[in-house]
Amino acid sequence: MIEWSEQHQMIRDVVRRFIEAEVVPNVEALEHGDMPPYDILRKFYSAFGMAEMQRARFAKMIEREKKGEPAKKKSDAEGEGGGDAAAMQLIPIIELCRHCPGMVTAMGVSVGLTAASILSKGTTRQKERWALDILTLDKIGAWAITEPGSGSDAFGGMKATAKRTPDGGYLLNGNKTFITNGPYADTIVFICKLEEDGVAPRDRKMLHFVLDKGMPGLVQSKPMRKMGLHSSPTGELFLSDVKAGPDRLLGEQEPTAADGRSGAKSTFQTERSGVAAMALGMIERSLELSLAYAKERVQFGKPIGEFQLIQEKLARMEVARMNVQNLVFRTLELASQGKSMSFAEASAMKLYAARAADEVCQDAVQIFGGNGYMAEYKVEQLARDARVLRIYAGTDEIQIGAIARDLLTR
Amino acid sequence: MKIMVCIKQVPHQDARLDVNGAGTWIQEENIKFEINPYDQNALEAALQLKDKEAGTEVVVVSIGPERVTQSLRTALGMGADRAVHVKDGAADGSDSLGTAKILAAVAKAESPDLIFAGFMSDDGNLAATGPMLATLLGIPHTTTAVSFQKNGAIQVERELEGGALEVVELNTPCLVTTQTGMNQVRYASLKGIMAAKKKPIDVKTVADLGLAGQVGADAAKIKIEKLYTPPKGQGAEILSGSVDEVVGKLVGKIKELGLL
């Protein structure tokens, strides 16, 4: 794939039209007010038939499971049409990120992380009970792994616990933080360790539980204040002696070994290609705004675009745009061939795209000067929003580690 | 039932419009196009009927160069079943009657039960094609519909001057032209856009329709002699002073010019 196809451009145009009509007039309320992003996201889903698409896909999957047919292998499910499916996912991400990257995070965590983890680990019964409503955005999901004392070392440092109770259920305790959708989530996937006598904390089994809003002992905090992504509500979760039956344990049986990490890793991989698409949207928009400003802003008697130091920034922005767009094209091309990136390659893409977006959005503020520091000119928001790309979904440092480990073990 | 929707591709509402070198039309290079907004409401009305009545087929028809394919694909993405594209340089420069003749030839081949068209186009603003098409076909028509119902016969509320509405009842086959705002136009669904590439677009020439020599610039009875940006007016006078003074001066001016 070397360029967007006619269909891709049609999707882009129609999504852009929706965003300009529904999102742009509300950016102020989403970013600086109390408007949660979910109603607009639901409208987005219904306008483009996405909820319907999810429902149809889900029904097919459940039917297959009930007949006892094996789940389709990724290469079969993708293949022809796989590229289309990936494009339908990535183009809206790119477009939303031009104005409101936080909305992508809220949607991505609900559908891409929470529902996906129930689909990959849950039993058929559990999928029917929780996953479908999240896939259609009827309910909002949160995926709770990070804790105050464990971020990048999510598994090793995790303190949240599950303790077996005599009735066959579990007692859950622990605090989670930086949880996207935490304040509003209807359904929460809570990741913790099974407390067992004689097993060292680092070797304990990882368990995933599905919790519903309002369960006794579960407290969801108000949204936390943060640097950017204000349209994505982030919160804390506090669990004290939350009783969960075995029906809430994903898979409905404990894993045999100290496992649970491998599943999370494949989740991380999907997340990383989403970050490249987010970066592309932010870069495209920053470049567009900067270019218009460089032509129109006059200093020392000429448009600032005629000064070489401004030209250098614009040229670097364009290089970043081309590179990140090519990475997105590669993701789509791989999907259309039923392939996906290796873990290290996905890490490299995420690292590059996040750094490029951060640099481009900061440079945009610099081109705008004092105006750029003011919220009115929009580049300020993108600069704050882009910063998180280097932190969440694996920090730059974690990505570098993954790339280097892969290189050194080849 | 079969519904035919006539759509025209016009410059996008946000497109920058400049007069072309010959001073006869706008400069069309490198500008964005879209489906005429009035026609979007026409298409939506047809699709709403299709949603209600199983077995309804919606055929979209347009005339114009290659770029029109994109508008037809958009219409197919929104839910239309098929498209007819009259793509022929010989159709260029047709006036409303020429356009109506081409559409009538397509309609005769399709024999739809109902034809929807926008009440006018955003570029030409002539509001003539729809009624001419109905007349050529010998079917009843009504214009500027703001609401539409089908319970056996077709019931249309149409806009009159001064905010009045008129209710009209028509039997099929008939033609209805639509006013903007009559309905909320849907977005093409993502799945619809992907499916649209597999839906057929039937490309026809003027000769295919048996209209060689009858349409196009040479046959047109209306020609654009000159297109220009209105020259800036001269001699505006700004009245200054307090509100009372300005009102006094203004009344004086009106009397002086004999406007009352």
Side-chain angles (χ1 to χ4, degrees):
Chain A
M1 178 176 172
I2 53 167
E3 59 187 6
W4 296 112
S5 71
E6 193 190 325
Q7 278 74 35
H8 294 147
Q9 290 178 40
M10 278 171 72
I11 292 181
R12 184 195 63 197
D13 289 351
V14 73
V15 169
R16 196 170 284 185
R17 192 152 65 86
F18 175 92
I19 290 170
E20 273 158 16
E22 305 287 346
V23 178
V24 173
N26 287 308
V27 166
E28 184 67 22
L30 286 160
E31 288 291 317
H32 302 293
D34 297 321
M35 181 191 267
Y38 311 114
D39 283 346
I40 297 182
L41 286 170
R42 287 185 181 116
K43 211 168 173 181
F44 181 76
Y45 259 49
S46 99
F48 296 111
M50 289 166 88
E52 218 175 288
M53 234 151 62
Q54 295 279 25
R55 220 169 266 132
R57 204 179 297 159
F58 183 82
K60 262 193 214 158
M61 185 193 74
I62 292 293
E63 195 188 277
R64 216 167 37 232
E65 280 188 13
K66 285 189 172 164
K67 279 191 199 153
E69 288 169 20
K72 272 195 186 173
K73 270 190 284 171
K74 194 165 185 174
S75 54
D76 299 336
E78 305 271 327
E80 200 205 339
D84 287 353
M88 280 194 265
Q89 215 170 12
L90 294 185
I91 294 168
I93 292 179
I94 296 168
E95 291 303 316
L96 277 167
C97 280
R98 292 163 55 87
H99 296 281
C100 209
M103 291 183 76
V104 172
T105 304
M107 174 175 72
V109 167
S110 193
V111 178
L113 278 183
T114 315
S117 102
I118 296 172
L119 290 180
S120 78
K121 292 189 167 57
T123 59
T124 306
R125 197 161 52 170
Q126 289 176 323
K127 291 175 193 178
E128 285 181 309
R129 182 169 169 196
W130 287 296
L132 180 61
D133 286 343
I134 307 176
L135 287 171
T136 56
L137 286 188
D138 287 326
K139 286 194 173 169
I140 299 303
W143 192 71
I145 184 164
T146 303
E147 296 182 2
S150 68
S152 294
D153 182 20
F155 299 116
M158 189 178 287
K159 289 206 169 65
T161 59
K163 213 188 250 178
R164 292 191 190 108
T165 53
D167 61 357
Y170 299 86
L171 210 54
L172 311 180
N173 280 286
N175 299 338
K176 296 286 176 183
T177 192
F178 308 152
I179 306 305
T180 298
N181 299 331
Y184 300 100
D186 304 297
T187 308
I188 298 161
V189 170
F190 175 78
I191 304 170
C192 59
K193 286 185 173 176
L194 180 65
E195 216 173 87
E196 278 179 299
D197 290 338
V199 184
R202 279 215 166 246
D203 300 329
R204 286 177 177 167
K205 287 177 186 170
M206 308 287 310
L207 303 181
H208 293 62
F209 288 92
V210 187
L211 309 177
D212 292 311
K213 184 182 202 151
M215 284 175 72
L218 167 67
V219 174
Q220 298 172 249
S221 81
K222 286 194 179 133
M224 299 161 91
R225 292 187 62 173
K226 53 190 189 294
M227 180 175 174
L229 285 194
H230 294 160
S231 50
S232 161
T234 309
E236 294 173 280
L237 301 175
F238 307 101
L239 280 83
S240 45
D241 289 343
V242 173
K243 282 186 192 142
D247 56 324
R248 290 184 177 276
L249 172 65
L250 274 184
E252 298 194 56
Q253 57 183 25
E254 291 173 11
T256 44
D259 200 36
R261 295 162 168 81
S262 58
K265 269 194 174 161
S266 73
T267 310
F268 289 152
Q269 203 158 337
T270 323
E271 213 184 358
R272 284 169 198 183
S273 63
V275 168
M278 292 183 76
L280 180 57
M282 293 191 223
I283 291 170
E284 273 185 4
R285 183 76 180 141
S286 290
L287 175 56
E288 245 172 56
L289 292 169
S290 299
L291 207 52
Y293 191 78
K295 284 183 193 168
E296 140 203 317
R297 171 77 170 173
V298 174
Q299 290 290 282
F300 304 104
K302 48 184 172 182
I304 60 169
E306 290 183 22
F307 296 112
Q308 289 185 340
L309 285 172
I310 300 295
Q311 290 177 353
E312 191 254 2
K313 287 184 187 55
L314 293 173
R316 279 216 317 251
M317 287 177 170
E318 173 63 2
V319 172
R321 189 197 64 77
M322 288 163 70
N323 283 338
V324 175
Q325 181 173 272
N326 281 334
L327 288 169
V328 170
F329 284 172
R330 178 166 166 76
T331 308
L332 293 174
E333 184 61 33
L334 283 168
S336 73
Q337 294 183 22
K339 295 178 187 166
S340 58
M341 283 186 186
S342 72
F343 190 66
E345 192 184 355
S347 298
M349 173 171 75
K350 197 265 178 187
L351 174 72
Y352 179 79
R355 284 185 166 177
D358 185 33
E359 187 184 317
V360 165
C361 295
Q362 287 293 341
D363 275 353
V365 174
Q366 196 65 23
I367 289 174
F368 276 72
N371 283 331
Y373 202 67
M374 299 296 132
E376 191 188 339
Y377 286 80
K378 305 294 173 203
V379 289
E380 163 276 347
Q381 183 208 327
L382 290 174
R384 287 184 289 102
D385 287 354
R387 188 64 182 85
V388 80
L389 299 185
R390 296 181 48 198
I391 297 171
Y392 74 12
T395 60
D396 281 7
E397 292 74 12
I398 289 291
Q399 311 298 344
I400 291 168
I403 300 162
R405 262 195 310 282
D406 178 67
L407 284 173
L408 295 169
T409 51
R410 269 182 205 171
Chain B
M1 85 185 278
K2 191 194 249 188
I3 307 173
M4 172 170 145
V5 183
C6 308
I7 64 175
K8 180 177 185 181
Q9 192 185 48
V10 296
H12 194 274
Q13 288 180 340
D14 299 334
R16 187 198 148 102
L17 301 181
D18 293 309
V19 176
N20 68 9
T24 51
W25 192 236
I26 54 158
Q27 193 279 112
E28 292 188 336
E29 301 293 304
N30 299 321
I31 61 167
K32 255 179 90 174
F33 287 86
E34 64 177 347
I35 300 177
N36 175 35
Y38 299 88
D39 299 345
Q40 292 183 23
N41 293 99
L43 177 58
E44 177 62 34
L47 295 174
Q48 284 183 9
L49 214 54
K50 179 180 155 83
D51 290 343
K52 261 187 239 155
E53 291 186 23
T56 299
E57 186 186 26
V58 174
V59 184
V60 283
V61 183
S62 193
I63 307 167
E66 178 58 34
R67 60 173 156 77
V68 169
T69 312
Q70 201 199 353
S71 289
L72 290 171
R73 291 265 178 233
T74 301
L76 294 172
M78 286 165 72
D81 300 287
R82 293 191 289 118
V84 178
H85 182 180
V86 181
K87 188 167 68 173
D88 190 343
D92 291 355
S94 292
D95 57 6
S96 304
L97 185 59
T99 305
K101 279 182 184 167
I102 295 172
L103 293 172
V106 175
K108 275 178 194 153
E110 294 285 345
S111 39
D113 303 287
L114 184 58
I115 301 176
F116 277 114
F119 134 69
M120 63 179 182
S121 63
D122 228 16
D123 53 359
N125 276 23
L126 289 164
T129 305
M132 284 179 173
L133 169 59
T135 307
L136 289 173
L137 293 171
I139 58 170
H141 76 275
T142 189
T143 55
T144 57
V146 292
S147 84
F148 176 93
Q149 270 192 323
K150 181 174 173 281
N151 301 311
I154 305 251
Q155 255 201 2
V156 169
E157 274 184 317
R158 62 185 296 263
E159 200 175 69
L160 297 179
E161 289 78 5
L165 293 179
E166 182 182 38
V167 180
V168 183
E169 212 173 84
L170 303 98
N171 290 320
T172 55
C174 64
L175 179 144
V176 176
T177 74
T178 53
Q179 177 61 292
T180 51
M182 86 172 282
N183 47 36
Q184 174 82 40
V185 179
R186 71 191 63 192
Y187 294 94
S189 77
L190 302 193
K191 201 178 163 191
I193 291 173
M194 288 304 180
K197 66 180 166 189
K198 294 191 187 99
K199 291 183 179 173
I201 296 184
D202 189 6
V203 179
K204 289 199 182 307
T205 63
V206 165
D208 291 342
L209 298 168
L211 292 170
Q214 298 176 50
V215 298
D218 291 341
K221 293 187 168 59
I222 300 175
K223 283 194 172 60
I224 295 174
E225 292 290 333
K226 189 182 171 196
L227 193 76
Y228 61 96
T229 318
K232 278 188 185 141
Q234 300 263 319
E237 189 182 337
I238 311 285
L239 304 173
S240 57
S242 70
V243 174
D244 286 345
E245 286 165 0
V246 170
V247 170
K249 286 179 192 169
L250 185 61
V251 171
K253 270 276 165 215
I254 291 171
K255 285 181 180 164
E256 184 190 316
L257 293 168
L259 295 175
L260 280 178

